[in-house]
Amino acid sequence: MPSPFPSFQSVLERIAAEIEATPGRGRPADYIPVLAEADPRRFGMAVADLDGTVYGVGEWQQPFSTQSITKVFTLALDLSLEGDVLWEHVGREPSGNPFNSLVQLEHEHGIPRNPFINAGALVVTDRLQTLTGDAAGVLRDFLRTESGNPDLGFDMTVADSESAHGDRNAALAHFMASYGNIRNPVPVLLDQYFRQCSIEASCADLARAAGFLARHGTRADGSYLLTRSQAKQVNAVMLTCGTYDAAGDFAYRVGLPGKSGVGGGIIAVVPGRCTLCVWSPGLDERGNSVAGVAALDRFTTLTGLSVF
Ligand code: DON
C-alpha cells in the first residue's frame, strides 16, 4: 500500500520546524533602505488549493513587501489585454544576468530579455499604463479581488524609499525610451512601477491571488483572465526566468514555476493542483530568499508535487 498523501498542513509544519533549526538566512535587501531593517529570521508559508482554501504556518498572514512578485501579475494583466503583441517589445529568454543589469540592453536594441528582469517589467508596466491609465491601481484591485483582502495596498514609505534610490531603474527606463520601447514619460512610468513594487500582501494573499496560474487561467470567480495556453506560457517564463540568474538552480532544486521578490517573498505554482507563497527576508547574492528557496525545495521533495 502506498503511504497516504501527507496533508498540506502537516507538510508546512514540518518544513517550518526544519527551517527554524537552520542557521544562516542571508541578508535583507539594502539598496531600498527601508527593506534593510527586516529581520532575516522571520518566516511564513502558505499553500492555496484550487478552490482558494489556504493552509499556513509561521507568519503566513503577515503583510510584506511584494516587490518583483508583482511582475507576474502585471504580465498576466497585460497579456489578457493585448495578447501576443507584448512579445514584440519584451523577450522570453533567461538573461543569465542580475535582475537590474543594463548590459544586454544595448546589444539587443532596447528589447529586454524577459518580463521579470527590471527592464522587462518596466516595459510591461509601461504598456499596462497605456492600456489602463493606472497600471498600479489596476494591479492592486486585481490582487484585492483575487486574494479576497480589501485592505491590501501600497506602502508609500517603501515606494518613496525606492524612488529616492531609483537611479538604476531610471537609467533602464530612459535607455529603453531612447529605442522607442517606452511610451509614457519616464517619471510617470517610474511612479507606477515603484508603487507596484511597494504593494504589501501576505503569503495567504499571494497564494490565493496566484490561483489563476494553477487553474489554467481561471480567476477566483470562474471567469477567464488568461487562456489555457497563456497560463502555460506565463508559468513557463516563471520557470525559466522567475529567479533571474538563479533560475537554473531554482528549477533544479524546486522544480516549479516560481517568482521571487527582494522583500523576501517567492510564489510558486503546481499547475492543476495548488499555489504556494513563502516569505523570509534574508536574501542570497542573487536576490532570492534563502529560507524561501529551501522551504520550497523541501515542499516538492516531501510531497512529490513538481512539474517534473
Ligand atoms: O526594481 C527593483 O529593484 C525592486 N523594486 C524590485 C526588484 C526585485 O524584487 C528583484 N527580485 N528578486
Side-chain angles (χ1 to χ4, degrees):
M1 283 272 289
S3 56
F5 188 80
S7 75
F8 283 147
Q9 192 62 42
S10 67
V11 171
L12 290 176
E13 280 162 19
R14 178 164 168 189
I15 291 169
E18 290 180 11
I19 295 290
E20 177 62 31
T22 311
R25 292 278 181 89
R27 294 182 40 203
D30 54 12
Y31 75 101
I32 303 174
V34 297
L35 297 183
E37 296 155 17
D39 175 0
R41 290 206 64 81
R42 299 184 76 174
F43 177 82
M45 187 169 184
V47 182
D49 252 333
L50 295 185
D51 67 2
T53 307
V54 184
Y55 306 85
V57 74
E59 298 187 72
W60 63 292
Q61 291 166 303
Q62 169 66 43
F64 63 86
S65 194
T66 55
Q67 295 297 324
S68 288
I69 292 175
T70 58
K71 295 170 181 175
V72 172
F73 298 97
T74 48
L75 172 64
L77 287 165
D78 187 85
L79 278 176
S80 77
L81 293 172
E82 68 169 333
D84 285 350
V85 177
L86 173 67
W87 300 118
E88 294 167 20
H89 301 271
V90 62
R92 42 181 191 254
E93 292 295 343
S95 70
N97 278 310
F99 61 84
N100 55 5
S101 173
L102 285 139
V103 294
Q104 282 163 339
L105 268 183
E106 185 163 22
H107 292 299
E108 297 176 2
H109 311 290
I111 308 288
R113 271 288 170 104
N114 68 66
F116 294 149
I117 52 174
N118 284 9
L122 285 162
V123 168
V124 173
T125 299
D126 178 63
R127 299 187 69 79
L128 192 59
Q129 176 66 13
T130 300
L131 289 164
T132 66
D134 183 14
V138 166
L139 166 67
R140 177 202 52 203
D141 292 348
F142 176 81
L143 292 174
R144 282 182 175 172
T145 305
E146 296 302 296
S147 67
N149 177 4
D151 298 327
L152 176 159
F154 307 120
D155 181 339
M156 290 311 294
T157 311
V158 172
D160 292 345
S161 180
E162 181 159 18
S163 177
H165 298 79
D167 292 328
R168 187 169 274 261
N169 282 319
L172 289 166
H174 280 295
F175 195 60
M176 292 188 292
S178 77
Y179 286 97
N181 201 20
I182 295 292
R183 294 187 288 186
N184 292 280
V186 168
V188 170
L189 168 59
L190 291 175
D191 175 59
Q192 289 287 329
Y193 175 76
F194 293 142
R195 280 196 294 133
Q196 161 186 336
C197 292
S198 84
I199 288 177
E200 292 254 308
S202 68
C203 289
D205 294 332
L206 291 171
R208 265 206 207 98
F212 69 95
L213 290 170
R215 293 188 297 262
H216 308 297
T218 308
R219 294 181 63 157
D221 67 0
S223 64
Y224 274 96
L225 177 69
L226 301 177
T227 65
R228 191 179 180 99
S229 177
Q230 286 174 320
K232 177 204 71 180
Q233 292 161 358
V234 173
N235 278 318
V237 180
M238 285 173 73
L239 180 74
T240 53
C241 310
T243 45
Y244 314 107
D245 46 340
D249 192 54
F250 187 85
Y252 174 86
R253 290 180 64 189
V254 177
L256 293 175
K259 182 75 205 80
S260 60
V262 291
I266 308 176
I267 59 170
V269 182
V270 186
R273 186 69 171 85
C274 63
T275 42
L276 299 113
C277 181
V278 59
W279 170 63
S280 186
L283 308 180
D284 62 23
E285 64 286 354
R286 284 138 153 191
N288 300 311
S289 169
V290 172
V293 176
L296 292 169
D297 178 345
R298 290 301 289 148
F299 179 87
T300 53
T301 302
L302 291 169
T303 62
L305 291 175
S306 105
V307 296
F308 299 109

